[in-house]
Amino acid sequence: APPAAASASPAAADPRRDRRAAAAAALDELLPLAHLWSRGAELMAGDQASQRHCAASHCVPVADLFLRAQADADLDGGGFGATLPRDGIVDARECLSREDKISDRGRDGGGAGGDKAKAIFSKLTDVQREVAVASLPRSAKEAAATLTKEAALCRSPATIMHALEALADALGVRLRGADKKAERSLLHAHKKGMEARLSAEEQPAAALLLAVPLVLAVTRGRAVAMTGRSLAPALALIGEGGLLPTDDLLFMVTFHRDVVASLAHTSGAAAKTTTTTSPVSGGNDSSIGDAGKDAGEDVDEAARGSRATQKPGESAGLSERLPELKRIALECRKAKGGGGEDE
């Protein structure tokens, strides 16, 4: 009888090659999303919270996938899942990001974000990245070290993507570039997903975390990844750009302030105030200051439904104002010269 090895396919005999090919396929699917979110991050280049969040959520995963695809090393110690789909890792339009699912509280999100690919390939540890770099050709090690450093620091999407492109060049690998047509399709799916979730959302904090990026997506044609900490600078951006009528902007600014105050009260924390620049008039405006960072985290927790003791909007009449918030976000229009789907 012929030996068993004679009937085994080359692919079956080389699981490491399978893993690298699967990582390359996942990378090809997620790169358009990384380009989409990185372009959106340019709108809020001065906001460290949104920069770090976007970098960690949407750029580090593609950097790690690239290292997995190129490294001549077993980065998982044989722990790679055996149920990897063979007909494509993920349809990018089916999963844009957790920004679309921030209020789902465990429900199936639909929307768009690469979560299937991220589930198949976990984030690399520092040690795994070092192993990957060590396995690459000497001519690419400097570029690879830069990429791993930027992935660890998560300073911004731009620094990670630039480092990724530099490593690809050093290895002679051609990456899938930004594609306006694909980006328009992804942005459209992103907006539709947020519109559906915002329409159904009954929790004020979660609704606000959908409404603000939806306004930016519609008026500026950008998908902007943000957490609760980035809501104030995002509203300032909306105000500076004249992207909403003044009354609508004032409503959203006040709604945001009341959400933060309500959550601070609910958590038993005293909300500290400081003087900031009003996104409407440019003058002084009493708003949440240093406490805003913690309050922003409270907004994130409330949006995820982790504050089970809080009744939505009970302390500031937020629930009664929720329909108006939805109206503003759902009825806003693209700003002149705002870019996006039609360009």
Side-chain angles (χ1 to χ4, degrees), residues 5-6 65 89 104 112 135 150-151 171 192 216 247-248 258 260-261 285 317 323 330-331 337:
L65 283 171
I89 303 302
D104 287 349
S135 74
E150 292 299 340
L171 290 170
K192 292 302 180 183
L216 288 173
D247 289 347
D248 288 349
D258 289 346
V260 172
D285 183 33
L330 294 171
E331 296 183 4

Side-chain angles (χ1 to χ4, degrees), residues 7-98:
S7 61
S9 68
D14 190 357
R16 184 184 300 177
R17 185 173 63 185
D18 272 359
R19 290 195 291 270
R20 292 175 63 180
L27 172 66
D28 193 53
E29 293 290 348
L30 289 186
L31 261 178
L33 292 166
H35 288 304
L36 176 75
W37 292 109
S38 296
R39 185 167 177 263
E42 295 171 0
L43 288 181
M44 300 183 63
D47 178 50
Q48 186 179 27
S50 64
Q51 292 293 301
R52 291 180 63 85
H53 171 63
C54 183
S57 300
H58 306 296
C59 299
V60 170
V62 298
D64 283 345
L65 283 171
F66 185 80
L67 290 173
R68 286 181 178 277
Q70 299 301 318
D72 187 17
D74 185 358
L75 303 181
D76 299 294
F80 182 80
T83 58
L84 184 70
R86 296 291 181 180
D87 55 348
I89 303 302
V90 59
D91 183 341
R93 288 169 296 183
E94 291 181 357
C95 46
L96 248 172
S97 100
R98 60 190 176 193

Side-chain angles (χ1 to χ4, degrees), residues 268-293:
K272 300 177 183 179
T273 60
T274 189
T275 299
T276 61
T277 300
S278 167
V280 179
S281 63
N284 289 335
D285 183 33
S286 179
S287 183
I288 299 300
D290 292 338
K293 292 184 177 180

Side-chain angles (χ1 to χ4, degrees), residues 162-340:
H162 289 160
L164 175 61
E165 291 166 1
L167 177 55
D169 287 342
L171 290 170
V173 176
R174 182 176 180 180
L175 289 176
R176 183 176 180 180
D179 183 317
K180 288 187 177 181
K181 183 177 180 180
E183 183 174 322
R184 286 196 297 269
S185 178
L186 291 171
L187 179 63
H188 179 75
H190 173 56
K191 290 191 294 187
K192 292 302 180 183
M194 286 197 297
E195 288 171 357
R197 287 167 184 76
L198 178 58
S199 297
E201 184 55 59
E202 297 180 355
Q203 218 277 17
L208 188 63
L209 270 172
L210 289 165
V212 174
L214 177 57
V215 169
L216 288 173
V218 173
T219 60
R220 292 299 302 273
R222 305 285 184 97
V224 181
M226 66 178 67
T227 66
R229 291 186 176 190
S230 300
L231 288 173
L235 287 168
L237 175 65
I238 292 171
E240 292 164 2
L243 304 180
L244 286 176
T246 300
D247 289 347
D248 288 349
L249 177 61
L250 283 171
F251 180 93
M252 292 191 75
V253 169
T254 303
F255 193 95
H256 170 241
R257 186 178 304 140
D258 289 346
V259 164
V260 172
S262 174
L263 294 173
H265 176 74
T266 301
S267 64
K272 300 177 183 179
T273 60
T274 189
T275 299
T276 61
T277 300
S278 167
V280 179
S281 63
N284 289 335
D285 183 33
S286 179
S287 183
I288 299 300
D290 292 338
K293 292 184 177 180
D294 294 332
E297 293 173 352
D298 286 345
V299 173
D300 292 333
E301 291 181 11
R304 291 192 295 268
S306 60
R307 290 199 179 281
T309 59
Q310 181 193 8
K311 295 180 181 179
E314 64 179 356
S315 66
L318 291 167
S319 294
E320 289 78 6
R321 287 183 279 162
L322 192 54
E324 179 64 7
L325 176 73
K326 293 181 180 182
R327 181 199 67 77
I328 292 171
L330 294 171
E331 296 183 4
C332 66
R333 294 290 180 264
K334 177 181 172 182
K336 184 176 181 180

